Amino acid sequence: DNLEILHARQILTQDEVWHLRQWNSNLAESIWTWNAHTIFMLYDQGHVKNDHELVFLLERVNKGRGGVASICAQLGTPIP
């Protein structure tokens, strides 16, 4: 499946694949929360140089999550 492909390409660890398989909610939006967490980890490690960069990156995460939410809402809306 697609998660195994991501594991084979060393994008996801086996532990991450396992956790994603357990998740029954909106996976497309959940990935953006994962991205935000990664940005905060990088900020804590000093890889994001200042608060302005942090805000910029988190705004992009929010924009991506909002786009996915919009697409999922449209796909889930029945057409009369």
Side-chain angles (χ1 to χ4, degrees), residues 67-80:
V68 168
S70 177
I71 291 168
C72 289
Q74 290 176 19
L75 290 173
T77 302
I79 298 175

Side-chain angles (χ1 to χ4, degrees), residues 4 6 11 14 21-22 25 27-28 30 33 40 43 49 61 64 74 80:
E4 285 303 325
L6 293 173
I11 295 171
Q14 194 61 47
R21 284 198 174 119
Q22 307 308 310
S25 189
L27 187 58
S30 301
T33 303
F40 277 114
Y43 179 74
K49 300 300 180 195
V61 166
Q74 290 176 19

Side-chain angles (χ1 to χ4, degrees), residues 33-44:
T33 303
W34 200 334
N35 288 334
H37 178 72
T38 301
I39 290 169
F40 277 114
M41 284 185 1
L42 293 171
Y43 179 74
D44 289 342

Side-chain angles (χ1 to χ4, degrees), residues 56-73:
F56 175 82
L57 293 170
L58 292 176
E59 285 173 348
R60 295 311 175 268
V61 166
N62 195 40
K63 189 173 184 178
R65 190 213 49 80
V68 168
S70 177
I71 291 168
C72 289

